């Protein structure tokens, strides 16, 4: 357990979360969201939950990201907010 | 998407990488007993491998690899494997999912449980793979693919 | 096999649901018989369970052979077995009815539709019988997801309604999960009975209060208790008629059951009514909700939408009964779960019949010809409406009766007044429809119709309607309202009074 | 004090069920008018005989009781044919026979639509009325009371005109509100007393109350039963409901519905609260005031009405309050008089309504101002009308006099002079608003000669019978049905707990 | 409406902070949930799993054992959830052969008018 | 006090994340943005569970076959991890359903913006 890393990652996590909510280009938001998921996977791993981290990396950064991209291609890329 | 061709480099890379991801996914499923991982992660990796081909090569070519119509039934079969394992234990006299009652000779009870876990993980892997691919296909429904 | 009976109902529904896509891959026609068979069997097994519980006391079932708190436990006590029977019976009738209407509303998709329906029921049954808080969450998700799906396949606006419900529902489920997280951290257990034993030792902890609030808010969203009801009207209105007939009687009731379970059987009556008076809050909100729902129901022009608002009011009754936190209120709430399931089932099925026959369910276009074309459905509607109003000897009267007794016991006259006023409001909006259906002359009456009314009208009126599968469930459901009303004392004494929570 | 002997009997059950069974039979035979009318008549006669079979037992102090099953823990759905119940059931079922005959003539004469629904609702109404009469506890009472409400609704809106529908709405609003109040009152009573069984002299036993609580409870009860009894601020549905066909007005608004209301008032006063509580908290004074005001105001309002049925309706409102007044005074004679007035008013008012219906069917006249000289072409009808009117004004030897006499006696017994004054005044007013009708009918010459004479036999004979009955009951209140003995026994049991 | 939402959000946060004050310090091995026995005397599930996972199922990864064995029923439910999602996507998204009203705006307009 | 803050700062960061996620779900107009908020919300709940599982001086819950179990305090509590695996899957499933609904909404109304959507729903 390295709490310094953890704290640093948390800062990144909150920043990516805010960016992905505020950015108007949805594709960029989704990429940021993938980064968010990946950072959270790292945090899980730091906290000792390797299984959860693994899953989150595969699912959050991978599959959900792909689904999001499909959604955006099926709809529109611009967002009003 | 009919107009622009798929990028050959991406296609090439995907075709090379995809089998390795699959093998890794299988490894994760079967090695879940000893290291982090298991059915769900492995299944997702398998699905990722399939999705990679679908993304890179287009929908129609990917049908050769994994037919779209298979998605839901295969997922059902995956869940049925899980359910069947539990049910097998149940009709062998135990409770539902009590792997200790699985009717296989030559195992200790703990060994039976390990076996049951393996069977279950396979079912999970299959289901997750099939359904994630199916969801992807459904989400692309109506998109003008070639 | 029989010792497995507590788990059999969800498992049966689950296995049928997951085998339907496999078995029906070539012949979509088998989906409906399979679903019906599963539903019928689930009714039989849950009835069997009730009798076992009456005979032997509460049953438990340990999955994987692990005893709680290690493993997951199913608990069948008189309450859960009773609610399970209610849910399964209503679902059976709705499924029976759906054969005549599903093909029209959701053409070519019977396989996933019936699979989803069974998953929905499986989720409901799982929630009801489980004794494990996290398992409840998992089945809640099965339940809600299939509900989103069933709503989302409706009319053009349905996906929007379903999406909003999904957002709200996810917030609700996540709140539940969050509350459960707090609860687990301070108690270290997920089993309801175990948590019940540990909680008195940690009552002072703020996390317990927060856990309670989060769980109740989360479930309140699913139950659509007053300020959290925003998703309900659209969802019920735009969903396909068969889905709304399935969701309206079952969906919110299951959440209400969970609230009862969590409040009284996990946290304990004393804690929720005295240490942290959350039941008072629920009761007041429910009382507002009753009036709000009734008033808005009066303003609606569309039958399904009106029924949706009336659902909000009726859920308020259940909430009020829970919030009173005394035995009579509790009896009223549980009885109203039963009554409302049957009443709303009937009403929504009639709305479905109307839509099938006339293509709309617009109240302003109703007239007396509707009754002549659908005499039995309309008779059933009348009976259910009288029951909603709460006229004896229909079932609706008795839940209000117990609620009124409970309100008097608590000494709260406002609640009593709310109960009475709302039945009058119910009367207003139901008699508005009945008046139209029985009295409004058809827009362009045929010349000879009024002169020989008796001969014309009576022709074949015993059958009258097109299909038995559309008529029989409605008639049986509505007729059972009378039976429930007349024999409610048995239900109360045999079932509900057996499991009045400790400390009430 | 001897407690009455209670024996288990299914007769009360059958008495309730007869017409309930008749209703589906009537519906099934909807295409055969004769068969339908046969069912109605058969049911009414059987019902009356069943009730009559209970009379000797009731007179001897033996009470037939029947209990179905527990309808809610601790409360059973139960019927009990005590003297009061038999008294009321006799009136209702007896008059149903006459009304049935009359109805047949009426609906045939007017070629009414939807006769099936009409007769079926009628039958259900009567079931509910008998149920109200025989209800052994408050919950059963509420049950039948609400069924009565719903079953009457189709009769009120029978004509399906706009006015009829709005009258139906008004009726529902009033009665359903009343039902809700009654339910609340019942629930409250149950929580206080722990029982809902009617008991002569009050069912609360020695429960203690605060004055505010008991006043509120009493108000709830009066709000509940007072609407059907048309006590003054709650009466306005009754004149509105006069749009219904005349037999309906006759039976339901002179016999079944409104009398269920006053029956309920007496039940509440005598069998729920009891004289002791009424006196202790001054509730009787309140009730008597309301009744007195209603009597006077209703009589005054009756003057204004030109529509014959409306005038009769206001007269009904006034006369119902006689009964309420009798109950409120709580002296032996006043109670007896009030109860007797249930019977007497029923026979007299039904005569009047029958006459109004006969005039309407034969001559299509509804307004009093159009009735000039009608007595010359309809001598029998108007003769009967005169008998009824004279009786309502309280002039001997018609039965109205007997009950008024008793009421007056009762008010003296209670030591109050004001009620007596009200009675006298209202008698004068009654005479005042009936006299012009009779005057017009017999003494004025018709502007246009009437085309028809008397109505059909099916209509004239029942109204002659009721007129005769009023006369005979005036001469001997104990005739045939022992109304006097029953009423005296009931008042005795309420006041002294003594059952003769 | 916005203000109400903000208030809800703020109260949500406040409730969470309040609740977090009651939580044991993170990483504290003596917290209730990590104990061998719960305060009421029943087994502490978590430590039971750690102690007995290998003995019961000959599997090193405790999470796998819990996932598939101790709480296997949850995992079955989880699989069902994802199957449900697949079915819903099928149900909602697959085009119906008979219904093509999104390609016929005229018909939709006609519907809207009625 | 330092101990308390040190033992709780992760919870507080998670609470911040929860609020951000809920904010996204409630306030964002675009449906896709709502779903992003939903993902954040779910991830933070998962993180809350995982954070609560931590024990200082303990290791990942994979048994070391050499030493075996001597003390439960040697391993991080595995129960929460298992629960959260389930929760992640549930989250993916929910997102999948949400995506499909969003796509259907776009097919019907050609917009994902909620306020525009409401207008078009009313006008149709």
């Amino acid at each position: 357990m390295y709490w310094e890393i953890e704290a640093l990652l948390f800062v990144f996590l909150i920043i990516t979360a805010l960016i992905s909510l505020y950015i108007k280009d949805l594709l960029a938001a989704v990429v940021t969201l993938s980064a968010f998921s990946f950072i959270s996977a790292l945090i899980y791993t730091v906290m000792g939950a390797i299984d959860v981290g693994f899953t989150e990396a595969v699912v959050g950064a991978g599959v959900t990201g792909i689904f999001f991209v499909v959604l955006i291609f099926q709809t529109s890329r611009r967002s009003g907010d | 998407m009919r107009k622009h061709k798929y990028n050959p480099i991406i296609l090439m890379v995907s075709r090379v990488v995809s089998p390795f991801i699959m093998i890794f996914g299988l490894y994760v499923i079967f090695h879940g007993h000893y290291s982090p991982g298991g059915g769900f992660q492995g299944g997702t990796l398998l699905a990722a491998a399939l999705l990679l081909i679908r993304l890179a090569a287009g929908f129609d070519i990917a049908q050769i690899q994994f037919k779209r119509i298979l998605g839901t039934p295969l997922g059902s079969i995956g869940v049925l494997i899980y359910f069947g394992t539990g049910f097998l234990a149940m009709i062998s006299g135990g409770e539902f999912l009590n792997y200790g009652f699985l009717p296989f000779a030559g195992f200790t009870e703990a060994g039976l449980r390990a076996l049951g876990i393996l069977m279950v993980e396979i079912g999970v892997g299959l289901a997750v793979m099939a359904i994630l691919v199916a969801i992807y296909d459904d989400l692309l429904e109506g998109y003008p693919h070639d | 096999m029989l010792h497995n009976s507590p788990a059999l109902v969800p498992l049966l529904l689950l296995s049928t649901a997951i085998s339907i896509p496999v078995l029906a891959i070539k012949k979509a026609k088998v989906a409906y018989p399979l679903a019906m068979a599963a539903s019928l069997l689930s009714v039989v097994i849950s009835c069997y369970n009730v009798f076992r519980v009456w005979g032997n006391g509460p049953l438990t079932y340990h999955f994987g052979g692990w005893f709680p708190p290690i493993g997951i436990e199913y608990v069948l006590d008189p309450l859960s077995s009773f609610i399970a029977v209610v849910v399964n019976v209503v679902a059976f009738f709705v499924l029976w009815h759906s054969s005549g209407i599903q093909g029209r509303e959701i053409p070519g998709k019977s396989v996933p539709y019936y699979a989803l329906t069974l998953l929905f029921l499986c989720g409901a049954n799982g929630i009801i019988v489980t004794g494990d808080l996290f398992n409840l969450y998992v089945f809640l998700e099965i339940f809600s997801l299939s509900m989103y799906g069933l709503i989302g396949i409706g009319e053009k606006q349905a996906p929007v309604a379903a999406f909003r419900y999904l957002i709200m529902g996810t917030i609700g489920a996540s709140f539940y999960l969050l509350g459960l997280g707090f609860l687990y951290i301070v108690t270290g257990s997920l089993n309801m009975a175990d948590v019940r034993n540990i909680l008195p030792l940690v009552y002072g902890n703020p996390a317990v209060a927060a856990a309670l609030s989060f769980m109740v808010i989360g479930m309140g969203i699913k139950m659509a208790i007053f300020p959290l009801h925003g998703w309900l009207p659209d969802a019920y209105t735009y969903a396909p008629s068969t889905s709304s007939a399935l969701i309206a009687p079952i969906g919110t009731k299951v959440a209400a059951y969970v609230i009862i379970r969590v409040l009284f059987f996990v946290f304990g009556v004393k804690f929720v009514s005295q240490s942290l008076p959350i039941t008072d809050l629920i009761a007041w909100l429910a009382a507002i909700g009753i009036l709000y729902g009734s008033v808005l129901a009066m303003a609606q022009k569309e039958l399904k939408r009106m029924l949706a608002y009336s659902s909000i009011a009726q859920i308020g009754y259940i909430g009020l009964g829970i919030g009173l936190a005394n035995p009579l209120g509790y009896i009223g709430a549980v009885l109203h779960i039963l009554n409302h399931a049957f009443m709303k089932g009937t009403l929504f099925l009639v709305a479905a019949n109307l839509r099938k026959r006339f293509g709309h369910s617009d109240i302003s276009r109703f007239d007396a010809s509707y009754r002549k074309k659908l005499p039995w459905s309309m008779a059933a509607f009348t009976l259910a409406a009288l029951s909603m109003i709460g006229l004896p000897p229909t079932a609706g009267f008795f839940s209000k009766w117990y609620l009124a007794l409970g309100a008097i016991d608590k000494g709260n006259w406002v609640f009593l007044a709310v109960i009475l006023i709302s039945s009058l409001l119910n009367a207003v909006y139901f008699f508005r429809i009945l008046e139209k259906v029985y009295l409004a002359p058809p827009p362009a009456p045929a010349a000879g119709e009024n002169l020989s009314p008796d001969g014309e009208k009576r022709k074949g009126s015993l059958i009258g309607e097109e299909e038995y599968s559309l008529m029989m469930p409605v008639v049986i459901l509505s007729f059972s309202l009378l039976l429930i009303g007349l024999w409610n004392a048995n239900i109360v004494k045999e079932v509900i009074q057996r499991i009045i929570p400790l400390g009430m | 004090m001897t407690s009455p002997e209670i024996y288990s009997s299914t007769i009360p059950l059958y008495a309730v069920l007869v017409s309930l069974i008749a209703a589906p039979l009537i519906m099934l035979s909807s295409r055969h008018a004769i068969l339908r009318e046969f069912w109605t008549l058969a049911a009414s006669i059987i019902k009356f005989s069943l009730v009559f079979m209970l009379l000797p037992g009731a007179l001897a102090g033996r009470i037939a009781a029947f209990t179905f099953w527990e309808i809610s823990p601790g409360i059973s759905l139960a019927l009990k044919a005590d003297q009061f119940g038999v008294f009321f059931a006799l009136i209702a079922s007896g008059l149903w026979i006459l009304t049935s005959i009359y109805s047949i003539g009426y609906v045939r004469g007017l070629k009414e639509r939807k006769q099936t629904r009409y007769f079926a609702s009628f039958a259900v109404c009567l079931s509910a009325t008998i149920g109200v009469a025989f209800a052994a506890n408050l919950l059963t009472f509420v049950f039948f009371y609400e069924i009565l409400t719903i079953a009457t609704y189709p009769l009120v809106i029978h004509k399906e005109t706009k006015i009829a529908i709005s009258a139906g709405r008004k009726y529902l609003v009033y009665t359903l509100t009343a039902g809700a109040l009654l339910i609340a009152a019942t629930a409250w009573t149950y929580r206080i007393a722990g029982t809902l069984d009617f008991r002569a002299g009050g069912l609360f036993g020695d429960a203690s109350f605060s004055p505010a609580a008991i006043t509120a409870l009493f108000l709830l009860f009066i709000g509940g039963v007072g609407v059907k009894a048309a006590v003054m601020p709650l009466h306005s549905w009754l004149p509105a409901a006069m749009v219904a066909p005349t037999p309906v007005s006759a039976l339901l608004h002179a016999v079944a519905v409104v009398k269920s209301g006053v029956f309920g008032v007496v039940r509440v006063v005598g069998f729920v609260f009891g004289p002791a509580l009424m006196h202790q908290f001054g509730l009787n004074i309140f009730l008597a005031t309301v009744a007195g005001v209603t009597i006077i105001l209703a009589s005054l309002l009756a003057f204004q009405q030109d529509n014959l049925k409306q005038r009769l309706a206001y007269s009904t409102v006034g006369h119902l309050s006689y009964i309420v007044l009798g109950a409120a005074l709580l002296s032996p004679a006043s109670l007896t008089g009030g109860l007797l007035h249930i019977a007497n008013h029923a026979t007299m008012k039904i005569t009047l309504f029958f006459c109004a219906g006969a005039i309407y069917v034969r001559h299509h006249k509804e307004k009093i101002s159009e009735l000039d000289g009608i007595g010359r072409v309809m001598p029998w009808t108007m003769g009967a009308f005169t008998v009824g009117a004279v009786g309502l004004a309280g002039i001997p030897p018609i039965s109205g006099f007997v009950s008024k006499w008793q009421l007056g006696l009762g008010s003296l017994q209670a030591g109050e002079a004001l009620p007596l004054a009200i009675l006298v005044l209202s008698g004068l007013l009654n005479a005042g608003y009936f006299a012009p009708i009779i005057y017009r009918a017999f003494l004025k010459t018709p502007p246009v000669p009437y085309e028809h004479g008397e109505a059909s036999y099916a209509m004239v004979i029942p109204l002659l019978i009721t007129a005769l009955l009023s006369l005979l009951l005036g001469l001997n209140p104990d005739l045939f049905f022992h109304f006097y003995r029953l009423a005296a026994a009931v008042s005795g049991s309420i006041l002294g707990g003594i059952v003769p | 409406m916005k203000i109400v939402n903000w208030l809800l959000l703020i109260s949500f946060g406040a409730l969470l902070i309040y609740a977090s004050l009651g939580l044991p310090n993170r990483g504290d091995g003596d917290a209730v949930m990590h104990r061998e026995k719960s305060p009421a005397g029943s087994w502490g599930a978590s430590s039971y799993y750690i102690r007995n996972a290998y003995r019961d199922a000959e599997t090193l990864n405790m999470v796998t054992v819990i996932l598939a064995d101790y709480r296997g029923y949850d995992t079955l439910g989880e699989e069902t959830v994802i199957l449900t999602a697949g079915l819903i996507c099928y149900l909602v998204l697959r085009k119906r052969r008979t219904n093509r009203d999104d390609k016929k705006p005229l018909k939709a307009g006609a519907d809207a008018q009625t | 006090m330092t101990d308390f803050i040190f033992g709780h700062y992760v919870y507080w960061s998670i609470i911040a994340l929860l609020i951000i996620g809920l904010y996204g779900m409630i306030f964002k107009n675009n449906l896709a943005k709502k779903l992003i908020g939903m993902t954040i919300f779910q991830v933070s709940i998962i993180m809350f569970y995982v954070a609560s599982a931590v024990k200082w001086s303990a290791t990942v819950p994979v048994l070391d076959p050499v030493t075996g179990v001597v003390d439960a305090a040697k391993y991080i509590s595995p129960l929460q991890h298992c629960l959260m695996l389930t929760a992640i899957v549930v989250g993916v499933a929910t997102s999948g359903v949400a995506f499909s609904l969003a796509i259907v909404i776009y097919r019907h109304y050609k917009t994902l913006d909620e306020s525009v959507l409401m207008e078009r729903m009313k006008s149709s």
Side-chain angles (χ1 to χ4, degrees), chain D residues 344 348 386-406 427-428 431 467 470-477:
Chain D
N344 296 341
M348 292 182 294
T386 313
V387 171
V390 167
L392 283 179
I395 298 164
I398 318 294
S399 58
F401 167 72
V402 182
S403 37
K404 276 203 181 175
W405 179 257
Q406 291 284 344
L428 290 175
S470 323
L471 191 65
L472 291 177
L473 286 177
L475 294 172
N476 177 3

Side-chain angles (χ1 to χ4, degrees), chain C residues 187-205:
Chain C
T187 61
S189 179
L190 291 171
N191 186 273
M192 288 182 189
D194 201 22
V195 172
R196 174 89 185 84
N197 291 333
I198 298 171
L199 267 178
L201 306 169
V202 292
Y203 268 157
N205 197 324

Side-chain angles (χ1 to χ4, degrees), chain B residues 47-114:
Chain B
L50 293 173
L51 292 188
L52 192 61
I53 295 295
R54 270 170 157 68
L55 279 172
F59 185 81
D60 283 353
I61 296 175
Q63 292 297 304
I64 302 167
Q65 188 189 23
F66 186 86
K67 274 216 183 336
R68 170 199 157 143
I69 197 156
L70 281 176
T72 318
L74 210 58
S76 295
I77 289 172
V79 184
L80 271 179
I81 291 175
Y82 199 135
F83 183 86
T85 311
F87 196 67
L88 200 61
M90 188 160 117
I91 55 177
S92 311
E95 286 91 352
F96 189 73
L97 290 173
N98 193 345
Y99 308 129
F101 281 86
L102 284 176
F104 300 118
F107 289 94
T108 59
E109 197 189 327
L112 272 176
R113 286 189 179 276

Side-chain angles (χ1 to χ4, degrees), chain C residues 192-485:
Chain C
M192 288 182 189
D194 201 22
V195 172
R196 174 89 185 84
N197 291 333
I198 298 171
L199 267 178
L201 306 169
V202 292
Y203 268 157
N205 197 324
V208 176
L212 175 62
S213 329
F214 278 123
M215 287 166 115
V216 169
I217 293 172
M219 278 300 147
I221 291 176
K222 298 264 175 197
M223 181 184 165
I225 206 163
F226 166 59
L228 310 170
H229 64 277
W231 56 270
L232 189 142
D234 275 356
Y236 282 13
T237 313
Y238 299 129
S241 304
T242 62
S243 304
S244 44
L246 193 64
I247 291 166
I250 298 172
T252 47
K253 307 300 158 307
V254 172
Y257 165 82
V258 174
I259 287 193
I260 292 178
R261 192 47 80 179
V262 168
L263 281 180
F264 297 143
F265 294 88
V266 175
F267 282 87
V269 178
K270 212 175 159 202
F271 181 69
V272 298
S273 62
Q274 286 163 25
S275 310
L276 183 73
I278 200 159
T279 50
D280 285 351
L281 185 71
I282 292 177
W284 281 105
L285 289 178
I288 299 170
I290 292 172
L291 295 179
Y292 169 89
S294 307
V295 169
L296 276 187
M298 283 158 60
Q300 301 308 318
K301 296 190 180 69
E302 214 272 344
L303 181 60
K304 273 170 83 178
R305 207 172 181 79
M306 189 199 92
L307 293 179
Y309 277 106
S310 120
S311 270
I312 295 174
Q314 300 289 318
I315 288 158
Y317 285 121
I318 301 173
L320 188 61
I322 296 171
L324 287 174
N326 55 21
L328 285 164
Y330 173 81
I331 291 174
V334 176
L335 194 63
H336 202 67
I337 290 180
L338 164 73
N339 294 344
H340 186 227
F342 275 72
M343 292 188 286
K344 266 293 143 60
T346 313
L347 292 173
F348 270 103
L349 288 183
V350 173
N353 280 353
L354 281 172
R355 288 206 165 191
K356 168 109 196 294
R357 188 79 167 73
F358 303 102
H360 72 98
S361 54
D362 210 346
I363 294 172
S364 57
R365 285 157 70 185
F366 286 1
D367 57 47
S369 67
Y370 284 53
R371 176 182 56 103
K372 286 175 189 155
K373 284 172 187 157
L374 294 173
W376 289 94
S377 298
M378 281 307 164
F381 185 89
T382 312
L383 196 55
L386 293 183
S387 179
M388 292 286 281
I389 296 165
L391 289 171
T394 51
F397 170 73
F398 287 98
S399 32
K400 288 186 187 173
W401 168 251
Y402 291 113
L403 288 175
L405 288 181
I408 292 169
D409 251 14
K410 198 166 165 80
N412 195 322
W413 306 111
V414 179
F415 293 161
L416 184 63
V418 164
I419 293 169
L420 299 179
I421 291 170
S422 77
S423 13
L424 297 179
L425 296 177
N426 281 351
V428 170
Y429 59 77
F430 275 112
F431 268 103
R432 188 174 55 138
I433 295 176
L434 292 180
E435 230 174 46
K436 276 199 178 292
V437 169
Y438 282 94
L439 299 177
E449 208 171 39
N450 286 350
L451 296 178
S452 56
D454 285 13
E456 278 296 319
K457 190 184 66 189
R458 286 293 152 196
K459 193 181 288 172
S461 72
L462 277 180
I463 317 275
E465 303 185 14
E466 291 166 60
E467 290 173 46
Y468 272 108
S469 69
L470 291 182
M471 182 193 91
M472 290 307 287
V474 180
V475 172
I476 295 174
L477 272 181
S478 64
F479 189 67
S480 48
L481 282 173
L482 270 181
L483 297 185
I484 293 171

Side-chain angles (χ1 to χ4, degrees), chain D residues 327-346:
Chain D
L329 287 175
L330 280 172
S331 65
S334 75
L335 261 175
T336 315
L339 295 179
L340 266 183
H341 204 61
I342 294 183
N344 296 341
H345 176 247

